Amino acid sequence: NELQGASVYHLEFKIAEDMVHVTGAEEVRYTNTETIVLDEIQLRLFPNILGGEMQVTNLLVNGQAADPKYGLANSLMIVPLSNPLEPGQSVILKMDFAVTVPQEVTLNYGVLAYYDEVLTLAHAYPMICVYDDEGWNAEIPPQDGDVTYAETSFYLVQITAPKELTLVTSGQRLSSDEAGQDQIMNVANGPARDFYLVASPNFEEVTQTFGEVTVHSYARKEFVNGAQFALDTASKALDIYSKRYAQYPYTELDIVA
């Protein structure tokens, strides 16, 4: 209720058997919370500068086909608006996307990669740029830190993946089901600045509850002792940080090796 103008993403991810190819669909409601009229919306395609590739097709703006422009080594997609967006007004962007995931972890600490049978998907969907006092904030970021600068948003996400995978995501799981050789998971996330997903066929999970927060720790089976150590350390950190700073604002904390 305190973030009425926050973007709302409806995302679909389908993870292929090879774990390297991910296809998806996105429908996002963007609200102009600025004091000026906007004649375009800019989105980041981060895989294109993180060693992978992202392509966007079937772009619609309020149901009408749109012809975007690209910049920053194809990591910026500029969507023109045929009807300028007045302050307080919203627009629906809809698109399909396909991602080829890099298979090395030298760029950005491997937060977007497939390596050692672990798939990590950070900012693996077209993300709306922040509009601030400098206008649309878009640049090629340095590779030695967090590449994203994003508004707080809400997410409803459906993931289709091979059923032998353990899926770990930000947010809360709403439902899980199986369809043939696949699993289908629905997740709600937010308020948050990104949606994150990790998958592996080799994860072991250990869990404990700290107050009203459930802490999950995942690692490869041979490192389950490390997963337990990380779990204990995280619970102590929750205790200390909650006393010194503020209560942890979510009901879950996931730690993934």
Side-chain angles (χ1 to χ4, degrees), residues 13-128:
F13 292 99
K14 182 173 178 57
I15 301 171
E17 286 281 350
D18 64 9
M19 301 281 282
V20 174
H21 295 93
V22 179
T23 55
E26 173 174 322
E27 183 174 312
V28 54
R29 184 188 70 202
Y30 176 76
T31 301
N32 181 2
T33 59
E34 311 307 320
T35 58
I36 64 170
V37 177
L38 300 177
D39 59 5
E40 65 184 25
I41 297 176
Q42 298 189 8
L43 297 94
R44 299 309 305 270
L45 313 181
F46 281 111
N48 288 334
I49 55 171
L50 291 177
E53 182 181 7
M54 174 182 279
Q55 294 183 337
V56 174
T57 55
N58 303 321
L59 175 64
L60 301 176
V61 178
N62 284 340
Q64 301 297 314
D67 186 17
K69 298 178 181 179
Y70 294 89
L72 300 181
N74 287 327
S75 73
L76 177 67
M77 183 172 73
I78 302 171
V79 180
L81 301 177
S82 56
N83 297 312
L85 196 62
E86 299 284 342
Q89 288 185 338
S90 299
V91 64
I92 303 292
L93 304 180
K94 192 173 182 178
M95 67 204 77
D96 297 323
F97 60 91
V99 177
T100 302
V101 180
Q103 298 184 63
E104 46 84 24
V105 294
T106 58
L107 292 176
N108 204 235
Y109 311 106
V111 296
L112 176 70
Y114 176 62
Y115 186 79
D116 206 14
E117 293 192 286
V118 177
L119 173 67
T120 55
L121 293 178
H123 25 273
Y125 57 94
M127 297 181 71
I128 295 178

